[in-house]
Amino acid sequence: MHPATLPQASSFNPLSRLPEELAQKMEEAGEPSFRGRQWFEWLWRHGVLDYRAISVWPARLREAMAERFPFSRVAVVTQQTATDGTTKWLLRLADGERVEAVYLPHRWGDAVCISTQVGCNMGCRFCASGLVKRIRNLDAGEMMEQVRVAHAWAERQGRRLTRVDLMGIGEPLDNLDQVERFFDLVHEPLGFGISYRHLTVSTSGLVPAIYRLAEGARPVTLAISLHAPDDALRTRLMPVNRAYPLAQLLAAARHYAERTGRRVTFEYAMLEGVNDSLDQARRLVRLLGHFPCHVNLIPWNPVPEHPFRPSSRRQVEAFLEVVQAAGISCTIRREMGQTIEAACGQLRRRGEEAWTSP
Ligand code: SAH
Ligand code: SF4
């Protein structure tokens, strides 16, 4: 390939592209299409930082690619590991914005929790991420970058990353095009090869986007942040409930379960004296009825800017019992990374105080 024959590619970001798209770029430039698959493989499986490291390419190709298709990896600003192995990264994107990713070691398969936006516009009253309004969406390549950092760290520890949760900073369904592209990129066997069933996307409840996601028919797990058993309280905690109240949200969840065959998870962060009474547990049971779902009770991670307190362990367990007694699958999420401020958005806020933007 001669540099002159390569198409101008200023807006072409190879980190957001599938193997077939990279193959097409190669073909357009008169190269064999298998070079596109190699491109993908070396970007992700080998995690090269530079085209010059792609040893299966002739030198002239490496040079030409470096000139025409530059790419920016994320930079790790800080890394913190808690005693339980939970590891959290503050990452700097190419334009200087920062997001977080968290590695969660589990007995049933390690996961990384990634961000999908810089900030979040949903304004949930209990969340640190929403304290910073959305500055921009991440593109699929920036989501892949978070997985790459986690994957490389896992390899160094002799661990295996098998799951990805879209539960970091941002509302994934407010950025659905890039999120769906990310699903296909991370699923690709030439790269990380993570099965759709091991991907979880969490939403505050953007109903039209849930229907769109269902149309894609990828069997990813949908997690819905519920946090209240009635509209009045949910609207107080999550303004999105005004636009998409519970009846609409549950209908969308049911549709998703039917279309994909996947059981939906409902997340419920336990806030003392706000949503944790046993009467509210019974209302939650009535709300969910015979829906084939799973309820995840989350010990609320204190955020100093918000006026809540986490429920006591005893109250969480009593709540759990009521839900389970009704035949609904329900667990308490293990508290992880207590020593490293694992509540999403917290490290970024701390980081903002400690580092000034470049
Ligand atoms: N925006 C999406 C995904 C990111 S938040 C969503 O809201 O679903 C991931 C989960 O963490 C959500 O269930 C959210 O409600 C919950 N969460 C937010 N702040 C929290 C905190 N301080 N402690 C515990 N859970 C929190
Ligand atoms: Fe945004 Fe989710 Fe936080 Fe709500 S809980 S502000 S949707 S990140």
Side-chain angles (χ1 to χ4, degrees):
M1 183 192 298
H2 293 289
T5 64
L6 278 161
Q8 281 300 326
S10 53
S11 64
F12 186 86
N13 175 11
L15 299 180
S16 290
R17 299 301 172 145
L18 290 158
E20 55 268 29
E21 294 169 324
L22 298 178
Q24 197 189 335
K25 266 282 175 249
M26 283 293 188
E27 279 180 10
E28 282 167 23
E31 289 287 330
S33 66
F34 73 84
R35 293 258 189 255
R37 292 193 299 278
Q38 289 174 332
W39 193 355
F40 189 92
E41 202 172 1
W42 282 76
L43 284 177
W44 298 119
R45 189 177 293 165
H46 302 294
V48 292
L49 301 179
D50 195 299
Y51 286 116
R52 291 176 182 85
I54 304 185
S55 55
V56 291
W57 284 358
R60 60 161 180 91
L61 182 59
R62 285 184 249 162
E63 294 300 322
M65 297 296 283
E67 193 174 313
R68 296 301 176 97
F69 299 107
F71 59 91
S72 296
R73 297 291 199 190
V74 300
V76 175
V77 179
T78 57
Q79 173 179 313
Q80 301 175 349
T81 300
T83 41
D84 61 7
T86 304
T87 296
K88 184 159 185 165
W89 294 278
L90 181 65
L91 303 168
R92 188 190 294 112
L93 309 172
D95 62 355
E97 293 297 347
R98 277 178 275 237
V99 293
E100 300 170 15
V102 185
Y103 194 95
L104 304 160
H106 289 306
R107 260 174 300 137
W108 59 89
D110 291 2
V112 62
C113 172
I114 67 163
S115 298
T116 55
Q117 296 181 316
V118 181
C120 181
N121 273 349
M122 307 312 296
C124 304
R125 301 287 180 247
F126 46 81
C127 172
S129 299
L131 291 169
V132 180
K133 287 278 158 264
R134 182 190 61 203
I135 294 168
R136 67 173 178 84
N137 286 335
L138 297 197
D139 65 31
E142 291 170 322
M143 297 176 211
M144 283 291 276
E145 276 293 277
Q146 298 171 69
V147 177
R148 181 186 61 80
V149 168
H151 188 266
W153 184 83
E155 281 202 331
R156 288 198 298 277
Q157 308 294 315
R159 305 193 65 97
R160 217 164 79 80
L161 177 69
T162 56
R163 294 172 178 269
V164 180
D165 302 333
L166 280 65
M167 290 191 181
I169 299 171
E171 167 49 59
L173 296 195
D174 187 29
N175 184 16
L176 187 54
D177 289 342
Q178 289 301 311
V179 160
E180 290 193 304
R181 172 167 281 273
F182 165 74
F183 288 154
D184 295 337
L185 287 168
V186 79
H187 174 74
E188 170 56 51
L190 286 172
F192 302 120
I194 296 187
S195 88
Y196 288 125
R197 286 167 189 279
H198 286 176
L199 301 174
T200 298
V201 56
S202 176
T203 181
S204 58
L206 294 177
V207 164
I210 294 175
Y211 284 100
R212 262 186 64 205
L213 183 70
E215 282 325 294
R218 297 173 188 83
V220 304
T221 303
L222 177 67
I224 293 181
S225 299
L226 200 60
H227 306 317
D230 61 78
D231 278 316
L233 178 60
R234 192 163 189 272
T235 299
R236 245 178 68 209
L237 296 174
M238 305 179 70
V240 65
N241 196 67
R242 220 169 274 133
Y244 305 113
L246 284 169
Q248 285 184 35
L249 181 57
L250 286 165
R254 199 175 287 278
H255 173 80
Y256 188 85
E258 281 162 11
R259 182 81 171 81
T260 61
R262 304 289 291 157
R263 197 167 64 153
V264 172
T265 296
F266 290 102
E267 292 158 286
Y268 199 102
M270 303 290 290
L271 304 166
E272 186 177 75
V274 175
N275 65 358
D276 67 347
S277 75
L278 299 190
D279 185 47
Q280 285 164 317
R282 286 186 280 271
R283 265 196 271 170
L284 177 64
V285 164
R286 281 200 295 279
L287 179 73
L288 297 177
H290 300 292
F291 192 3
C293 62
H294 179 78
V295 175
N296 209 347
L297 302 179
I298 310 173
W300 183 66
N301 240 313
V303 178
E305 288 87 342
H306 295 313
F308 303 109
R309 279 189 310 270
S311 305
S312 69
R313 183 75 196 181
R314 241 176 85 193
Q315 192 62 23
V316 178
E317 279 166 6
F319 196 100
L320 173 84
E321 254 174 53
V322 172
V323 179
Q324 284 182 334
I328 296 174
S329 157
C330 184
T331 47
I332 301 173
R333 183 183 293 172
R334 189 157 57 102
E335 294 179 67
M336 300 181 82
Q338 285 294 298
T339 52
I340 56 164
E341 296 179 291
C344 66
Q346 268 182 238
L347 190 62
R348 180 169 182 273
R349 280 186 67 70
R350 254 260 307 261
E352 257 156 23
E353 287 155 25
W355 289 278
T356 50
S357 276

